[in-house]
Amino acid sequence: MTLAGRLATGFAAFAAGWSVMALEMLDGRLMAPVFGQTIHQWGAIIGTALAFMALGYALGGRLGARPDGARALPWLLGAAALFAALVPWLGRGIAAGAEALLGPLPGAVGASMLLIGPPAFVLAAASPLCVARLAPDIGAARASGLVSACQALGSIGGTFFAAFLAIPYLGLTGGYALAALVAALAALATGLRPLPAALALLPLLPGYLAEQARQRLFAAYVETPYNTAMVWRDAQATSLLLNTTRVAQSVRWHDGRETGSYWELLSAVPALARPGQAEGGSALYLGVAGGAAISATQAAGRRCARRAWRSTPA
């Protein structure tokens, strides 16, 4: 094998590790609106990924033992790119359907099987094929060590990419697009023709259009390092939604009336802490969400001040 072939094989191992870890991290954020950021959700994703990777390693080993089995490597990488490209388009529907059909815990496992399972399977199968490509030139033990090292480095890169760049700044669609692109580039480097690689990335277009349509439904839609923040505004109120559209984190009615929610009860805390003090006090809030509790406290302080002024003898 030429030096270019060895480098392409090393890049394929790197891309396999990169893509599978990036997809795990991205799937965790995508599933959060349905299943929450819980240990059960992450356990479902990680455990399912490992189960499918075990099957993929076994398949890759069987293929690698065949005389021409290593030829499947670019096709496996192309399939991984296709699976990653499909998630922005179909992933949210899969997560919601699994939860509705199976419930929270089994649903998290079921959604993980459909989202991370297929790409984890084919990306793991790519690893033994990389070893099979390198072993005739450098020996099986050395090839196995180099492939494992490249895959581990890719896993580190994919994790950091998803956690520090994709989710906070690029958004889920952009993150999945780059994970798919890395796998597609590795497929091209190892022999896949451009047309199949391009077709594998084609589902990114409807995924992008669906994301744009989803964002246009909201007054604001932002991916942050901590949450997917959405602002919904209608004729009556403005609401802050975090990760899920089922529950409003904060609500403000446009006409200024109270919402009757729990955060307005916090407005009584300063008065209880300083009985008889109608104005001039201060309160410290840690974690204000949309600021509805602060607004309620300020409004309560103004009402107390007006009542105190009316009751003051002339």
Side-chain angles (χ1 to χ4, degrees):
M1 180 183 293
T2 64
L3 177 60
R6 294 182 186 180
L7 291 175
T9 303
F11 176 61
F14 177 90
W18 172 290
S19 295
V20 74
M21 287 307 303
L23 291 175
E24 284 188 49
M25 300 290 290
L26 293 166
D27 286 348
R29 173 54 68 88
L30 182 139
M31 292 170 58
V34 178
F35 300 103
Q37 295 277 15
T38 67
I39 191 65
H40 301 107
Q41 180 219 29
W42 282 110
I45 292 172
I46 295 171
T48 301
L50 291 173
F52 276 82
M53 289 175 71
L55 296 174
Y57 287 132
L59 173 66
R62 290 176 65 90
L63 290 175
R66 298 178 181 177
D68 59 347
R71 295 180 181 178
L73 177 61
W75 290 100
L76 291 175
L77 294 168
L82 174 62
F83 291 135
L86 285 170
V87 176
W89 186 20
L90 305 175
R92 288 180 173 83
I94 289 174
E99 195 277 337
L101 183 64
L102 302 175
L105 300 186
V109 176
S112 299
M113 291 177 66
L114 295 175
L115 295 176
I116 192 60
F121 175 76
V122 295
L123 289 169
S127 178
L129 298 186
C130 292
V131 175
R133 285 168 62 104
L134 293 175
D137 293 337
I138 63 175
R142 188 179 176 192
S144 178
L146 287 175
V147 167
S148 296
C150 290
Q151 194 168 16
L153 289 173
S155 297
I156 296 169
T159 302
F160 285 175
F161 158 74
F164 301 133
L165 179 61
I167 292 174
Y169 302 109
L170 300 179
L172 287 178
T173 300
Y176 281 111
L178 283 178
L181 180 61
V182 169
L185 290 174
L188 286 171
T190 52
L192 189 66
R193 294 182 178 181
L195 180 58
L199 291 176
L201 297 176
L202 190 61
L204 289 172
L205 178 59
Y208 172 78
L209 296 176
E211 184 71 12
Q212 293 300 305
R214 186 180 301 108
Q215 293 185 16
R216 282 195 292 270
L217 293 174
F218 297 93
Y221 186 101
V222 180
E223 293 282 355
T224 77
Y226 311 103
N227 297 287
T228 299
M230 299 160 282
V231 176
W232 175 263
R233 182 175 294 127
D234 56 26
Q236 288 77 35
T238 298
S239 305
L240 172 66
L241 315 172
L242 298 181
N243 297 320
T244 177
T245 57
R246 299 179 180 181
V247 179
Q249 184 73 17
S250 298
V251 177
R252 289 184 180 179
W253 290 99
H254 295 161
D255 59 8
R257 70 179 185 272
E258 295 181 351
T259 64
S261 188
Y262 70 92
W263 53 73
E264 289 169 336
L265 298 176
L266 298 176
S267 62
V269 174
L272 293 173
R274 300 178 178 85
Q277 185 174 346
E279 56 182 332
S282 62
L284 174 64
Y285 278 87
L286 299 177
V288 300
I294 291 179
S295 297
T297 301
Q298 292 172 336
R302 289 192 294 268
R303 287 194 297 269
C304 289
R306 285 195 297 269
R307 285 195 293 268
W309 179 79
R310 294 191 188 105
S311 62
T312 301

